[in-house]
Amino acid sequence: AILMANLASDVRFYLASEADPAIALGRINAAFSGHGWDDRFVTMIVAVVDPANQELTLVNAGHMPPLLRTSTYDVVEVGSAEAGLPLGVVDDFEFEAYRRNLESGDFLTIFTDGFSEAMNSQRELFGLERLAELVSDSRVTAANLGRHILAEVRKFAGEYPQSDDMCLVCFGRE
C-alpha cells in the first residue's frame, strides 16, 4: 500500500509538471527506482489524448500492449515497438512514445493480464485471442465495451476464483 501511494503521488506530480509523457515516465521511473523497493517493479501505461488535434500518445512501461479497435472493427496491438521496461528495472531508462491520430470510430482497450489470464474450472486461459474477439464485436458500442468485456470474462471463469487483479480502461472517439 505504501509503494502504491508513493507511486501515485509521483505519477500525479511528474505528469502535471512535464508536458512530454515519455520524459515524465522516465522521471517517475527514476523516482520509483530511488525509493529502494529492492526487487519490486511496476508496469503501467500513460495514455494522453489531445482533443484539439485528435492525437493519441502512449508510453508503455512493460505493460501488455493495448488493443485498438478501428472504425472498420479491425483490432491491432499498438505501441509494442515503443514499449519500454517496467518501472524499477533500470533507473535511467529512456521511454519512447507511440503516437497516432485517433480517428473517428477508433477505440482503445488497455487491460491488465488478469483478463487474458483469467481461468475457468478446466484451467483454460481466457487468452488474448478471445479478448481481441470481444473488442472487435461490432454489436458492442464503445460506451458498453468495458462492461461487455468484464461480463464475458466473468462468464468464462464461472465460479473459478479470480487469481490476479483486473483493471480495464476503454476509451475512444465516436
Side-chain angles (χ1 to χ4, degrees):
I2 292 172
L3 181 148
M4 291 312 293
N6 205 333
L7 178 61
S9 174
D10 287 344
V11 168
R12 281 192 299 275
F13 175 76
Y14 289 111
L15 288 178
S17 61
E18 174 55 56
D20 184 324
I23 293 172
L25 195 54
R27 292 182 178 159
I28 293 164
N29 178 55
F32 181 86
S33 297
H35 290 304
W37 299 114
D38 297 325
D39 59 349
R40 305 275 177 133
F41 67 91
V42 171
T43 69
M44 70 180 291
I45 292 180
V46 174
V48 177
V49 177
D50 181 343
N53 64 11
Q54 290 84 38
E55 185 179 63
L56 168 68
T57 302
L58 293 175
V59 186
N60 186 335
H63 202 73
M64 299 180 76
L67 298 175
L68 176 73
R69 179 175 88 181
T70 67
S71 61
T72 58
Y73 299 98
D74 293 321
V75 175
V76 293
E77 289 183 347
V78 293
S80 296
E82 297 81 5
L85 297 172
L87 301 182
V89 175
V90 174
D91 61 353
D92 61 350
F93 188 83
E94 291 185 26
F95 291 91
E96 187 178 341
Y98 165 85
R99 290 184 170 81
R100 71 167 276 137
N101 284 334
L102 195 59
E103 304 294 337
S104 180
D106 285 354
F107 293 92
L108 198 69
T109 300
I110 303 171
F111 56 96
T112 59
D113 60 1
F115 283 89
S116 57
E117 295 176 3
M119 282 191 222
N120 62 18
S121 60
Q122 288 80 41
R123 294 192 166 271
E124 298 168 319
L125 293 176
F126 189 78
L128 290 173
E129 189 174 308
R130 280 188 183 105
L131 187 58
E133 286 175 21
L134 291 177
V135 171
S136 71
D137 189 342
S138 62
R139 298 168 295 171
V140 180
T141 65
N144 294 323
L145 186 57
R147 284 186 287 277
H148 177 68
I149 292 169
L150 184 57
E152 289 299 312
V153 170
R154 286 185 172 154
K155 185 167 87 176
F156 172 83
E159 297 299 316
Y160 196 77
Q162 183 177 331
S163 62
D164 201 355
D165 64 297
M166 297 172 77
C167 183
L168 178 68
V169 176
C170 299
F171 66 90
R173 196 172 153 223
E174 294 194 335

